[in-house]
Amino acid sequence: MMESAIDILMSKFKVYAGVDGSSVTLSRDEFGKLVKSELPNFLQNSGDSAAIDELMRSLDKNNDGELSFMEFWQLIGHLASKHGGFDQ
């Protein structure tokens, strides 16, 4: 079910976001750990800290140095679209 997939995404986000305290945003370190552990096959250079920094900056629409779930969701949508062959 799609509902369970969404639940898993939200749960994973909260687990990684909660490492530094707040479970509603991902810090740069939390985001790097999430990408490296959970998305190594979907993102090239998932272990490259400069690439992670650049990706985070591109997602951080309000430039607060953290990613909200909605900012993070942009990445999930992009990866799903690309992986599914919808990214033309």
Side-chain angles (χ1 to χ4, degrees):
M1 281 193 128
M2 281 201 257
E3 291 172 346
S4 60
I6 291 170
D7 284 343
I8 290 168
L9 284 168
M10 289 186 309
S11 295
K12 289 287 185 180
F13 179 90
K14 288 179 181 178
V15 166
Y16 285 92
V19 171
D20 288 352
S22 171
S23 63
V24 296
T25 58
L26 290 168
S27 68
R28 188 267 175 234
D29 288 342
E30 291 167 336
F31 179 64
K33 289 174 186 171
L34 183 152
V35 166
K36 194 172 188 177
S37 296
E38 304 293 334
L39 299 168
N41 299 314
F42 277 69
L43 284 172
Q44 294 179 345
N45 304 322
S46 65
D48 178 358
S49 65
I52 296 299
D53 288 343
E54 183 178 328
L55 178 58
M56 181 152 175
R57 277 192 300 276
S58 75
L59 296 169
D60 185 13
K61 297 301 181 193
N62 65 356
N63 296 312
D64 67 353
E66 306 229 327
L67 295 182
S68 68
F69 184 77
M70 291 307 293
E71 289 171 326
F72 171 72
W73 189 255
Q74 296 173 90
L75 175 63
I76 299 303
H78 174 76
L79 292 174
S81 182
K82 186 176 177 181
H83 185 68
F86 301 111
D87 201 23
Q88 307 281 326

